[in-house]
Amino acid sequence: MPEAAAAVRPGAVARPLLPARGTLLGFDFGLARIGVASGELETGQASALVTLHAESNDERFAAIARLIAEWHPVALVVGIPTHLDGGEHELTARCRRFAHQLHGRHALPVFTTDERLSSVAAEAELAEAGRRGWRERKAVLDAAAARIILQTFLDTRRHERT
């Protein structure tokens, strides 16, 4: 279940609500690359957007700032990796930090969601779509994983509302 979309229990902290309409940007954070996807709350559909290959954090955040200025999202979604048993992954803390940095820099609601197997699913989708070579798939793999992360968030949100 997406963390920010979790039901509020007595004593729990209220999570930000999303409007019925608006754009979301989803992120598949990695140390070398960040995949980015866009999605629409009204249609519930996500699309791969771009993979950022910036070397420094300043370059990465400048590229993200340009995307936010272009797309005007109402919220951001960051995939949080965990092991299949739900235990923390080597990058779990880094992804949470990235989510906090996005919120601090852009003052937008940031939701986190489980991204288990998103890269595996993205790899399978790209191979099925005819992208056979590893180099060809690698160039778009992170954006495809970001799309899966964001689509999962949108699907979970839709099911929670019904």
Side-chain angles (χ1 to χ4, degrees):
M1 176 185 304
E3 287 182 21
V8 178
R9 294 173 301 284
V13 176
R15 306 275 192 217
L17 297 176
L18 286 170
R21 291 181 168 170
T23 300
L24 300 176
L25 289 181
F27 297 90
D28 178 32
F29 176 84
L31 298 177
R33 295 174 308 278
I34 299 174
V36 185
S38 65
E40 294 298 324
L41 288 167
E42 188 172 18
T43 64
Q45 296 299 305
S47 300
L49 192 56
V50 66
T51 299
L52 304 175
H53 299 275
E55 294 290 322
S56 72
N57 271 343
D58 288 342
E59 291 172 315
R60 287 176 167 207
F61 282 107
I64 291 168
R66 287 189 296 274
L67 289 170
I68 289 172
E70 178 182 349
W71 288 87
H72 304 286
V74 296
L76 309 173
V77 177
V78 175
I80 302 294
T82 58
H83 290 292
L84 290 178
D85 66 1
E88 294 221 345
H89 185 275
E90 298 78 31
L91 285 178
T92 302
R94 296 285 297 264
C95 290
R96 289 190 195 286
R97 181 172 176 228
F98 174 68
H100 289 293
Q101 288 174 319
L102 285 174
H103 177 70
R105 288 173 182 248
H106 302 288
L108 289 167
V110 177
F111 294 80
T112 59
T113 190
D114 185 352
E115 71 161 48
R116 268 180 275 191
L117 301 177
S118 62
S119 293
V120 172
E123 179 75 32
E125 275 186 10
L126 292 172
E128 188 176 306
R131 296 201 180 219
R132 300 283 180 223
W134 169 243
R135 268 193 184 159
E136 185 181 0
R137 287 195 309 261
K138 184 179 177 185
V140 295
L141 179 63
D142 297 296
R147 186 203 67 76
I148 290 169
I149 290 165
L150 187 52
Q151 188 64 58
T152 300
F153 176 83
L154 289 165
D155 291 347
T156 301
R157 183 179 175 276
R158 181 175 38 238
H159 292 301
E160 288 174 349
R161 291 174 36 206
T162 58

